[in-house]
Amino acid sequence: MARPTLPRPTEDELIARYFAPLAGAGGLSLRDDAALLTPRPGHDLVLTTDAVVAGVHYFPDDPPASIACKALSVNLSDLAAKGAEPRGFLLTLALSDDWTEAWLAGFCTGLSEAAALASCPLLGGDTVRAGGPTLLSITACGEVPSGTMVQRSTARIGDRLLVSGSIGDAALGLKLRQNPSAVWGDDLSIPVRAALIDRYLHPRARLPLAPTLRAHARAAMDVSDGLVGDLAKMMRATHLSAEVEIEAIPLSDAARAALAVEPDLLDTALTGGDDYEILCAADPAEVPALRAAAARAGVPLCEIGTVTEGGAPPVFRTADGRVRRFHSGSFSHF
């Protein structure tokens, strides 16, 4: 005998059951129409928003906890690049018609863990029916001491360019996720495959770098759409250019293993996106202190190039001095 279909919870019941336990003090227990957030004296608020959509930013069958982690982390990454410390976030969740309570429970478990790790509580939001694929939009709020936000457009000629962590893992993980039977993937060990896919599923917002960037960086942005394209965005904002040494770009052991099997994947690694590392520019005199502070924070920074004059696209050079060109600089929605 078929089990009777239980009625779905109402919006108010969903909020009380799944989201109210995540709310911080500014969220007023999610019993009001707005949140209340007062910046600390001598601080500016920094706001950022990003959306993730099923079938565009994640696979519909990705674990719901991983989807929640990505949705929050991509916003926290923007705060980190501005030197900001998180204060809270707003969530708009538009659910597809086939959502289940099991999916929502897993999603909220992942969201709770990610929010607690970043000390970034839920402040409010909205839950609606999508009428299409599930869509999540998060607006994250952070703080910086007044006047210290690290902007994208303030690099100067001669500044050194640095990038955190490693580049390309997530883009390679996405290719494996799209085509698990890819010939090059068959030659990788299970731990290597798992490491690349994990970087795609679980971005790491570099929040520990925030104070270091405020103290020592001249400009910064997060690498979300690919290093090649995002560096071009930074340089366009300053009306300058850059030269980058490809050999200096940090790659993980897993990415190097993939490139050893298929060298042409270098383009994917440098243009594919989903890194959520920090790209920054700093006065050469500040670089030693910047790198030392980053190391103490547990997030290494590698020097990869120099800001140059002119408004031409950045130049990426191989070890023998040749210019390498890329078919596409970055991911684009349009």
Side-chain angles (χ1 to χ4, degrees), residues 227-281:
L227 177 63
V228 173
D230 283 336
L231 175 58
K233 294 174 189 175
M234 177 184 277
M235 293 301 98
R236 283 198 299 270
T238 61
H239 306 290
L240 296 174
S241 188
E243 288 215 4
V244 172
E245 306 156 23
I246 292 177
E247 292 294 319
I249 296 172
L251 301 174
S252 69
D253 290 343
R256 291 187 185 280
L259 293 177
V261 174
E262 180 52 77
D264 286 345
L265 288 171
L266 181 62
D267 275 34
T268 298
L270 300 188
T271 67
D274 279 328
D275 294 303
Y276 297 102
E277 297 291 356
I278 302 298
L279 170 67
C280 64

Side-chain angles (χ1 to χ4, degrees), residues 16 24 55 73 127 133 171 177 185 191 224 281:
S73 294
T127 306
R177 189 73 174 80
S224 56

